[in-house]
Amino acid sequence: MSGDQQASAGRRLSRRHLLLGGASAGIGAVGALGIDLATKAGPTAVAEPLNGTQTVPFYGVHQAGIDTVPQSNASLIALDLVPGTDAAALRRLLKILTSDAARLSQGEAALADSEPELAVAPARLTVTFGFGPGLVALAGGAAPSWLRPLPAFGIDRLDPAWADGDLLLQIAADDALTVAHATRMLLKDSRSFSTVRWVQTGFRRAPGSVKPGTTMRNLFGQVDGTVNFVPGTPDFERLVWGHAGNPAWLHGGTGFVLRRVAMQLDKWDKLDRAGREASVGRTLSNGAPLTGVNETDEPDFDAKTAIGFPVIPEFSHLRRARSENPDERILRRGYNYDDLPTAGSVSNSGLLFVTFQADVDAQFVPIQRRLDALDLLNEWTTPIGSAVFAIPPGCAAGGYIGDTLF
Amino acid sequence: MSGDQQASAGRRLSRRHLLLGGASAGIGAVGALGIDLATKAGPTAVAEPLNGTQTVPFYGVHQAGIDTVPQSNASLIALDLVPGTDAAALRRLLKILTSDAARLSQGEAALADSEPELAVAPARLTVTFGFGPGLVALAGGAAPSWLRPLPAFGIDRLDPAWADGDLLLQIAADDALTVAHATRMLLKDSRSFSTVRWVQTGFRRAPGSVKPGTTMRNLFGQVDGTVNFVPGTPDFERLVWGHAGNPAWLHGGTGFVLRRVAMQLDKWDKLDRAGREASVGRTLSNGAPLTGVNETDEPDFDAKTAIGFPVIPEFSHLRRARSENPDERILRRGYNYDDLPTAGSVSNSGLLFVTFQADVDAQFVPIQRRLDALDLLNEWTTPIGSAVFAIPPGCAAGGYIGDTLF
């Protein structure tokens, strides 16, 4: 595959590039080191790049990894700054991380990459940074009002081991080895500045497993994330990238929430199919609302059964998650997790419920309050981790993530 | 995509089918449930199945997952039979597991599948069963002489939590959700008969990330597994499927070793590139022996540098792993692991070194003895888990894995 063909493939795949302009679609080290790289001779014998060579631009108005079609593998990592870190050290850390994240995302080795051969297949790698309240304070910035732990909910059974943090890294790609390598390089960069607070890894379907654009399924088998903003639409611009009351340094950024939701698969399995569908308000087969045929059909909350009960029950997740207020909506970008079971248990599974919204208090919290008050799904799910971060805007080449904060 | 096209794709992808005959290439539930399934319109607008629909035949002379091109994701699970399990119960367990493994591998829901929608993308799912000495004794069978813990090696720092077991499940597919679902279904089947002893999950490059046939790289960046048997060759037949002195019930089967090898990535990073290449005896860029140009070049162990030292050092892994005795060879089918780091550490990474060989004592142990005595790689790697299982032969439709044992 020639460099031109690669660049062309990069462009074709980079909606952000088209939307935002000015972003690099370079392939970098691929040409020099890429002996492992995939090309595929199709039926017409035209070499066709496969997943490994695909890149998402790093630089731009917004950070990547938010309006990017979700990759199959993600590692979410929270770091705590070591005591005594000052603003100058924090800037150095952010510059190093930005530089290496940008390089790795384009298939180039990190600056001090000890295993450059592992960098050659970016597989749509994105690295998204988020700032906790401690980091913002250290930099001397104004924190948005919502940058604090979520209010306590009655359903929560939070483990501090899965909560909060100073600096978030969301590292995602369509290849687990790419994620592992990028994770290691970025943790090495950050080691003298910070300690690892938590690591949460998750997965979705591999590329090519299901039709492109298929809504993900969680480990309950449910279609999960049907109603979601479409990048480039006014809703996305306003409710994800919108300014709201956010401080100026955060313009072009957004808010991030991660809820670690344990799923009691065994208990769920005792529920029959009709009970499951009633608890969600959607069919299991294709995720259609119980009043509809197709996944994206608008639910009819007024529809009644022959004996007068609502077709979509009052206690259903679909009804409880839906607000009359169109501002109370969030971008969902979650991952399944299936960690090693602890002694005596059969599974340790659930959902990394990742959401992006410009104003966590105005958009996320009201939804969670309604679900806390009544949602039949609470019978089988338990929030065990919770974290809120501010996602700074993207940066231009030569800048660094967080440069608007200093 | 029509059923015929699917079947054709299944056949094209199923070398075992061609080699062994008689195996089913059915697609099963895909047609009924497969709303999520991927097809891809290629440049000639011919619908082309992608990874999700690909199947590996379950039934056959040998079990799948051994001569199968390694999938991207694997979960290796050891079960302990609950005290009081008798041979009749064990047979029931093996029949249930066989039936569900066969169904799931063809994209069909398990018999009591609680989430059938998760079964529709088999993504080359294979389930391979192995028997520990306790299980063989319970069934009243004769154990091969090598079916016992490996001899103790000086380099070992074994954790009993990663050792031994009664029943092995190797569950592998090109999709993490497929592996998670199959794992859950098979553990549910086995729950009243057994407890989970350990679970070890690993990964390789995703399909399409690198060129098909590329040897895997481990987390040191090394090309890992260059010299390997090719399915269908006399070497494979003799040294993997060969009878050796194995009992009759094991004919068509083989032996399995899993070594969990922790890799000290931080320490490795302190070594320069020349030191790394000397320790392995191969280049990092493409895995060629230090005396060659291409990965598969035969190493020249007699070659000397200008000042008279061997080009491939005496202490190198390549030299120490290689035997003069052509019978001392093994099939390697390993996976990287990168688990959640424990408190205070940056990584928890290494290799699930999985090997298949007809006679563990004659093939595996001599290699390990040489590496134990001298192998510079031991400076950066530590075996922390070890397990040996007998892999029974495959079975015909209507039979079950292990039916030759009863």
Side-chain angles (χ1 to χ4, degrees), chain A residues 117 184 188 269 273, chain B residues 117 184 188 211 269 273:
Chain A
E117 286 81 8
R184 178 161 169 73
K188 283 177 69 176
D269 282 356
R273 206 164 167 91
Chain B
E117 286 82 8
R184 178 161 170 71
K188 282 177 69 175
K211 280 185 280 202
D269 283 355
R273 207 164 166 91

Side-chain angles (χ1 to χ4, degrees), chain B residues 244-266:
Chain B
N246 291 342
W249 67 265
L250 194 51
H251 290 184
T254 187
F256 168 99
V257 174
L258 166 58
R259 303 276 288 175
R260 185 178 181 87
V261 181
M263 289 162 55
Q264 281 86 49
L265 298 179
D266 280 11

